[in-house]
Amino acid sequence: MNFEAILSEIQAHGTIIIHRHSRPDGDAMGSQIGMKQILKENFPEKTIYVVGDDAGYLNFMEDCQMDTISDDVYEGALAMVLDCGSPHLISDDRWQKAARTVRFDHHIFSGAFCDAEIIDSSYESCCGLIAHFAMETGLQVNSLAAKSLYTGMLTDSGRFRYDSTTAQTFRIAAFLMEQKFDTNEIFRHLYADTFESKKLKAEFLLKT
């Protein structure tokens, strides 16, 4: 994988706009927040935006609010597309207005649509791919970036139980956990039942 080519694109642009697929899951949202935080940490002079539809059930994730930007912001900018295997799934189709486009994705390759792409289905998640990108290129990963990327790895691997989970998955997770964040907090938000949910389950059981 040519991580350096993607890094060169990042270095060459002063404005970077990060997209992901619509109706985001943990991997899409974690990728977007994680990448934003990595770029802000390592390139404080650049202007970074995240765009797309609302976070939905993932609104507990820190820094999940989307930016509202005008079309002219795309002039001369780099658009990043994360966790998306097809262009029609991208939330906010203005990514095509950017001067250059790059993509990170872990889905099975079905055709290129960005200027530079890293597609590798051996990763359990796009978050894992982005974390590995940071590891290999020496980019600093702050606590919020690590927490966001870990969240995406967790959800897309079924809490590290799916067959896509490999030794590489745990190496990358260990790298992220070197930063200080509360894994129990992530589990509480993702997997804790609400009172109403428990009530509905109890009513169902009583009827059977």
Side-chain angles (χ1 to χ4, degrees):
M1 286 181 293
N2 195 352
F3 285 149
E4 292 298 330
I6 301 292
L7 182 61
S8 294
E9 292 282 1
I10 292 169
Q11 292 169 332
H13 292 85
T15 298
I16 301 172
I17 306 163
I18 307 172
H19 294 248
R20 39 78 183 159
H21 65 72
S22 59
R23 300 178 65 183
D25 56 7
D27 191 28
M29 188 58 63
S31 295
Q32 194 176 36
I33 299 170
M35 180 63 80
K36 174 186 174 182
Q37 289 296 321
I38 288 171
L39 295 179
K40 288 179 67 176
E41 181 76 14
N42 293 274
F43 306 100
E45 75 284 0
K46 297 184 184 297
T47 303
I48 313 297
Y49 296 106
V50 290
V51 297
D53 51 343
D54 292 338
Y57 75 98
L58 295 161
N59 61 7
F60 68 87
M61 294 182 70
E62 188 177 347
D63 202 25
C64 69
Q65 295 76 26
M66 297 294 102
D67 295 311
T68 300
I69 60 175
S70 58
D71 290 0
D72 62 339
V73 176
Y74 285 85
E75 185 175 349
L78 174 69
M80 304 187 79
V81 177
L82 310 180
D83 193 35
C84 198
S86 179
H88 78 275
L89 298 174
I90 303 171
S91 187
D92 195 331
D93 61 10
R94 292 180 299 168
W95 63 275
Q96 300 170 87
K97 296 179 179 290
R100 295 282 292 175
T101 57
V102 300
R103 176 165 68 126
F104 285 84
D105 191 35
H106 72 116
H107 296 100
I108 295 172
F109 182 74
S110 61
F113 54 85
C114 288
D115 296 313
E117 302 189 329
I118 295 179
I119 316 297
D120 192 332
S121 60
S122 71
Y123 288 84
E124 79 300 320
S125 63
C126 188
C127 282
L129 176 58
I130 291 169
H132 197 194
F133 165 72
M135 292 169 66
E136 292 296 310
T137 55
L139 294 176
Q140 297 298 308
V141 178
N142 62 29
S143 179
L144 180 53
K147 181 180 180 180
S148 303
L149 294 172
Y150 184 89
T151 300
M153 292 182 68
L154 185 71
T155 57
D156 251 33
S157 66
R159 289 178 275 183
F160 304 119
R161 293 181 296 115
Y162 295 161
D163 290 343
S164 59
T165 302
T166 64
Q168 174 179 257
T169 302
F170 289 110
R171 283 193 292 268
I172 295 171
F175 165 76
L176 295 175
M177 290 184 70
E178 290 175 2
Q179 299 298 320
K180 300 298 182 184
F181 61 91
D182 187 354
T183 57
N184 288 324
E185 178 190 351
I186 299 171
F187 276 93
R188 282 197 300 271
H189 282 295
L190 286 173
Y191 302 113
D193 275 350
T194 63
F195 173 76
E196 288 302 319
S197 175
K198 288 182 180 293
K199 183 178 175 182
L200 285 171
K201 289 178 181 178
E203 290 173 352
F204 175 78
L205 289 171
L206 287 171
K207 291 177 182 178
T208 58

